Amino acid sequence: MARRMTLAVAQQGPVHLKDNRASVVKRLIAMLERAHSMGAEFVVFTELALTTFFPRYWMTDQSEIDAFFETSMPSNETEPLFQRARELAVGFYLGYAEKTEENGRTRRFNTSILVNRKGKIVGKYRKIHLPGHSDHLPKAPFQHLEKRYFEVGNLGFKVWRTMGANVGMCICNDRRWPETFRVLGLQAVEVVAVGYNTPTENIHHPEPAHLRMHHHLITLQANAYQNATWVLAAAKCGREDGFAMFGGSCIVAPTGEIVAQAQGEDDEVIVVDADLELGAYIKRGTFDFARHRRIEHYGLIAERTAAVAPTVDSDAD
Ligand code: ING
């Protein structure tokens, strides 16, 4: 018996340093309304949706860095988005830089929230896999300083029952790690929302440009299939003050098939009338975790961080 939910991804074009939050929120509301006009009940916005991808810049002045962070959510600038979503009864995922005080300490995270169709924040996720570096690379064409500006997330990978579905979240680089999706899969996730800002050029390891999109898509497709879940991936893309990030926003079915994909690298909405039961036969068969997983053999996954090669040469006489 199908259990239908109309799902949307709102791909976001560039946000430049000069663009203020109010102008960005106007764009988000326009995409929310377009998704709603196409029947959407849940819309996935992108990572760090309210500002440019500021980890590309080397900054040392903390007040300059903090200008990119939100100290409350919703805030005056983002309340109009919550208000419009409440009016239209559309839930959403939104990524932003979070600055908060916890146990007397200022904490900064790359965060996403899950908002239900009544405009209530029902879930929060803080990015765990922070790529890039924390030191200045003066010879690089741009920086990737997420390890400098954010702490590793401290909320784990969680799944919430909301809007009639089991919904999980992750952010950008998290999508490359199978552990992310398996931990969500072990919580019976049915919809994974992921925003990403991915530079078109790999500054650390020159590689053919086509591989960037290839790796992006295979990770989403493999993880969707291996955990029998829908995956909604929203890019921030295009050239932000000249720095290129790729698009490739898409909606992947639990079968691993891409069922909708963005065509350009600007604001663009894609929508799918999803059957949340589509993954059920996979969860009852190939990936029936209860029947087939052998956790007694998986210990290294949680015990060992870096790979350790065999020390003995098996061919030695
Ligand atoms: N961006 C990139 C991502 O994981 C990256 C960083 C690109 C890592 C390509 C490895 C290869 O898509 C963010 N923001 O994580």
Side-chain angles (χ1 to χ4, degrees):
M1 175 69 177
R3 190 160 45 100
R4 309 215 78 91
M5 183 175 183
T6 306
L7 304 172
V9 159
Q11 172 175 287
Q12 192 172 331
V15 177
H16 306 294
L17 283 167
K18 67 171 176 37
D19 294 333
N20 62 34
R21 285 172 175 72
S23 66
V24 173
V25 168
K26 276 200 181 73
R27 288 167 55 187
L28 300 182
I29 291 173
M31 288 196 281
L32 182 92
E33 290 173 339
R34 176 152 180 68
H36 175 258
S37 73
M38 297 159 79
E41 301 162 72
F42 178 57
V43 180
V44 175
F45 293 114
T46 189
E47 172 189 29
L48 298 176
L50 302 172
T51 66
T52 197
F53 185 71
F54 62 90
R56 69 164 65 91
Y57 299 110
W58 173 255
M59 295 175 278
T60 53
D61 176 288
Q62 193 60 56
S63 58
E64 182 186 5
I65 297 165
D66 284 349
F68 294 100
F69 284 77
E70 311 307 314
T71 53
S72 65
M73 188 53 69
S75 57
N76 292 339
E77 295 97 336
T78 51
E79 176 53 34
L81 174 65
F82 282 73
Q83 181 58 36
R84 191 65 181 125
R86 199 175 297 120
E87 287 165 4
L88 299 177
V90 176
F92 63 91
Y93 160 112
L94 179 72
Y96 62 95
E98 176 193 14
K99 180 184 170 194
T100 182
E101 304 304 320
E102 274 182 8
N103 310 322
R105 215 153 55 87
T106 301
R107 317 290 296 271
R108 293 176 181 84
F109 299 101
N110 185 343
T111 294
S112 66
I113 49 171
L114 181 57
V115 181
N116 71 10
R117 301 179 67 181
K118 296 183 185 126
K120 179 186 170 212
I121 297 175
V122 296
K124 177 181 280 189
Y125 171 72
R126 290 164 171 167
K127 187 172 182 179
I128 288 171
H129 296 101
L130 297 172
H133 49 97
S134 51
D135 50 337
H136 189 203
L137 301 180
K139 292 196 180 68
F142 51 87
Q143 309 298 303
H144 198 117
L145 292 162
E146 293 190 64
K147 290 181 188 292
R148 179 182 176 82
Y149 298 140
F150 304 120
E151 283 187 61
V152 172
N154 61 351
L155 300 175
F157 301 107
K158 289 199 180 69
V159 172
W160 293 269
R161 182 76 187 174
T162 179
M163 298 177 278
N166 299 336
V167 183
M169 296 189 276
C170 63
I171 300 175
C172 203
N173 195 257
D174 289 321
R175 74 190 186 285
R176 300 179 189 276
W177 300 91
E179 294 87 344
T180 301
F181 283 83
R182 186 43 48 92
V183 171
L184 295 174
L186 288 166
Q187 300 170 77
V189 74
E190 295 170 322
V191 178
V192 177
V194 49
Y196 62 94
N197 287 211
T198 302
T200 303
E201 182 192 354
N202 188 338
I203 54 172
H204 305 301
H205 310 287
E207 62 182 350
H210 76 275
L211 282 181
R212 304 286 274 176
M213 187 54 69
H214 176 66
H215 293 155
H216 160 68
L217 295 176
I218 60 172
T219 47
L220 297 174
Q221 290 181 268
N223 282 309
Y225 167 57
Q226 289 164 347
N227 295 283
T229 179
W230 285 90
V231 177
L232 283 71
K236 167 123 76 55
C237 52
R239 286 188 172 278
E240 292 192 326
D241 298 298
F243 295 96
M245 297 193 295
F246 71 49
S249 301
C250 59
I251 299 176
V252 183
T255 55
E257 289 185 300
I258 297 171
V259 293
Q261 187 162 343
Q263 299 145 52
E265 291 191 334
D266 210 328
D267 292 7
E268 180 178 344
V269 171
I270 53 176
V271 179
V272 163
D273 175 18
D275 174 8
L276 296 180
E277 289 301 322
L278 189 59
Y281 81 94
I282 299 173
K283 288 180 181 175
R284 283 198 305 271
T286 308
F287 292 112
D288 179 342
F289 290 175
R291 224 160 21 109
H292 299 311
R293 293 189 71 240
R294 307 298 333 153
I295 59 172
E296 65 272 21
H297 295 287
Y298 302 162
L300 282 188
I301 290 177
E303 289 157 14
R304 185 177 289 178
T305 303
V308 175
T311 50
V312 174
D313 178 352
S314 300
D315 294 337
D317 294 331

